[in-house]
Amino acid sequence: MLSTLPSAQSHFNAPQGSSGGDAPLADQIAAQKALKSATNVLTSGQHDAIPELLTPYEELPKEITGPTVWKAEDYRGEENRHKWVHIWTEQEIKQLEDASNLWLLSGRELGEIERSTFPLPESLTKTLLDLRDRLVNGVGFYLFKGLPVRRWGPHLSAIAYLGLGSYLGNVNSQNGKGHVLGHVKDLGNDPTQIDKVRIYSTNAKQFFHTDSSGGLVGLLCLYKALEGGESDIVSSHAVWNELQRSRPDVARTLASNEWHFDRKGEVSEGENGWVKRPVYALAKGQPPNRLISQWDPYYIRSIGRHVQAGLIPATTPEQEEAMKVLEETAEKLSLHMILDVGDIQFVADTHVYHSRSAYIDMPPPNPRRQLFRLWLATPEGEGEQAGGWRTVYKDSSHPRRGGIQVNQTPPKCPLDGE
């Protein structure tokens, strides 16, 4: 496990707006324009678990060991911050700013940013690839501090953020509108309308959950709330171990392939309005420490209309109890953090749950709390962005596995919530 991420040493001495090297700036921009994007592959979307790929509960681990199992107390306090917090150096910020300005000058679309089209110095690349391994195969979380988002503004900040993310995975669509640059912001939606409204677009509490990213989730803080909006994370493997010790009946229920998750209307033609999958699943043949959890209680609570239509069964008393115990256990084992302006939180969507407290925005004319969000696919297999965990879904090796895709909706990168 990494105790710290290495500080990148500058390989560039080019002026602002350049990515360095011997070529004149105009030539560099022309060369970048000439690169063809590979982003024409659409997000795979949501799928049912394939029963034949599921490891039976009796063969699931009773205790998971290794770096994916961590205790919050080992990361609390100033003396432990070096284990999971990295403050950007001036050199790293300049490297990222130079690359971002070069992209801005090229005139290319934000949706074309990917690792092959957003070159970074070798040292900064190593920092990000070390982070990727830590997220995919290690503790599954990290916090970067100090991006000058106020000075950069939303456009340059979005370029830099997408550029960083491109070294960790492939961007996925996060909603039916095709947003690959997401916005966690209160848009005035009613959080009680859970069959229609995604909670990230409200100021309501988010219980412990995973997203549908296909690998990794990133949050970049642009503006803070007046109060609340604080974050907690927990190892879903630590939760599993605790459940196996104290409530194996709950662990069994969570591993059953009898959970129906609502899709809140973000569905392509001919698809069901829900997916059926376990909360905890291990693909057959995979090591015990690759037990994946996908969970969000809001997507269970909102299935009522499908139940009333006779399409799926209602949640059972055992499932209701499992939901309660899972939340309580996650809260008991969690690590608390506060995102300041310019902070980026990355978490593994395979083995880390995250939550958010309800919040109150600053009064006008102050800006509302806002975070840029990335969903980054890390498919199994070989290649720059592959090497992720095998899932029990048919798109496990798809380059943009997971996410939300409605029909042929193209990807979009809006600079504000909509």
Side-chain angles (χ1 to χ4, degrees):
M1 181 180 71
L2 294 172
S3 58
T4 59
L5 290 175
S7 295
Q9 300 301 313
S10 177
H11 285 207
F12 290 175
N13 294 305
Q16 184 170 335
S18 166
S19 67
D22 296 327
L25 177 59
D27 291 347
Q28 295 175 47
I29 294 173
Q32 199 171 73
K33 283 184 175 180
L35 287 170
K36 291 187 177 180
S37 172
T39 57
N40 57 345
V41 178
L42 291 177
T43 294
S44 174
Q46 299 170 297
H47 306 282
D48 292 341
I50 300 174
E52 294 76 17
L53 297 183
L54 292 168
T55 301
Y57 172 75
E58 291 73 21
E59 299 175 22
L60 293 179
K62 298 301 179 284
E63 182 177 16
I64 300 171
T65 59
T68 61
V69 183
W70 48 270
K71 297 179 179 179
E73 54 263 35
D74 292 336
Y75 293 89
R76 294 191 184 114
E78 193 63 34
E79 69 277 13
N80 288 315
R81 285 174 65 81
H82 69 279
K83 298 178 182 178
W84 60 284
V85 177
H86 177 82
I87 300 175
W88 294 107
T89 68
E90 290 183 7
Q91 290 177 322
E92 290 170 331
I93 289 174
K94 184 178 186 304
Q95 291 170 344
L96 190 54
E97 186 169 345
D98 286 348
S100 301
N101 273 314
L102 179 63
W103 185 275
L104 187 63
L105 290 170
S106 76
R108 300 185 72 181
E109 298 293 332
L110 291 178
E112 295 181 80
I113 294 175
E114 55 187 6
R115 186 168 164 184
S116 65
T117 61
F118 196 85
L120 291 173
E122 181 180 348
S123 52
L124 185 51
T125 295
K126 183 181 186 305
T127 295
L128 295 173
L129 296 184
D130 286 347
L131 170 65
R132 185 182 193 275
D133 184 64
R134 175 194 179 92
L135 294 172
V136 173
N137 299 309
V139 294
F141 69 95
Y142 210 78
L143 183 68
F144 280 104
K145 296 185 70 68
L147 279 190
V149 295
R150 294 278 176 86
R151 174 168 63 84
W152 284 354
H155 195 180
L156 198 66
S157 297
I159 293 171
Y161 186 40
L162 286 161
L164 289 173
S166 72
Y167 283 75
L168 306 180
N170 299 316
V171 292
N172 263 343
S173 170
Q174 302 174 31
N175 56 30
K177 299 176 181 178
H179 293 175
V180 296
L181 180 65
H183 298 269
V184 179
K185 183 177 182 179
D186 181 11
L187 301 179
N189 293 324
D190 182 355
T192 66
Q193 302 295 310
I194 58 173
D195 61 330
K196 304 178 183 69
V197 170
R198 302 269 298 278
I199 298 301
Y200 73 82
S201 67
T202 76
N203 63 357
K205 173 183 174 64
Q206 285 191 299
F207 297 95
F208 283 98
H209 67 284
T210 61
D211 290 349
S212 299
S213 70
L216 307 173
V217 177
L219 293 171
L220 167 59
C221 182
L222 301 179
Y223 299 103
K224 294 181 65 174
L226 176 64
E227 62 178 75
E230 299 178 4
S231 180
D232 291 281
I233 60 171
V234 67
S235 161
S236 66
H237 285 177
V239 172
W240 174 262
N241 287 350
E242 177 60 28
L243 293 176
Q244 287 287 24
R245 284 189 291 267
S246 61
R247 293 295 303 269
D249 60 317
V250 168
R252 178 184 286 274
T253 298
L254 293 171
S256 68
N257 190 28
E258 297 299 331
W259 293 84
H260 294 86
F261 292 79
D262 190 18
R263 298 179 66 181
K264 302 198 178 188
E266 295 180 306
V267 180
S268 296
E269 292 178 15
E271 294 180 341
N272 290 328
W274 63 88
V275 289
K276 183 181 179 183
R277 54 178 55 164
V279 176
Y280 278 97
L282 179 67
K284 284 184 177 179
Q286 292 298 287
N289 64 356
R290 292 204 164 183
L291 180 72
I292 295 175
S293 185
Q294 289 195 286
W295 172 244
D296 190 327
Y298 279 113
Y299 286 78
I300 304 296
R301 299 294 185 200
S302 63
I303 63 172
R305 66 194 186 285
H306 304 309
V307 174
Q308 292 168 7
L311 300 173
I312 58 175
T315 53
T316 65
E318 291 79 12
Q319 288 176 321
E320 293 288 341
E321 173 72 1
M323 294 171 68
K324 175 176 176 291
V325 172
L326 176 59
E327 178 69 18
E328 292 173 347
T329 305
E331 185 173 357
K332 179 177 68 173
L333 300 178
S334 64
L335 174 67
H336 186 70
M337 68 173 70
I338 297 174
L339 297 186
D340 292 317
V341 173
D343 287 0
I344 305 177
Q345 176 199 77
F346 286 112
V347 298
D349 215 20
T350 48
H351 58 286
V352 172
Y353 296 139
H354 57 285
S355 71
R356 180 198 75 197
S357 63
Y359 66 89
I360 299 173
D361 272 323
M362 300 242 187
N366 297 292
R368 284 172 284 172
R369 178 183 184 270
Q370 184 176 5
L371 294 88
F372 281 159
R373 184 173 68 180
L374 291 180
W375 283 2
L376 301 167
T378 55
E380 66 164 307
E382 304 296 330
E384 284 186 347
Q385 305 298 44
W389 295 9
R390 184 177 302 171
T391 72
V392 294
Y393 311 113
K394 66 181 183 180
D395 65 341
S396 185
S397 60
H398 189 284
R400 302 189 190 284
R401 72 180 187 185
I404 294 172
Q405 182 67 43
V406 174
N407 296 317
Q408 299 298 305
T409 302
K412 295 174 60 179
C413 290
L415 292 177
D416 202 351
E418 58 179 37

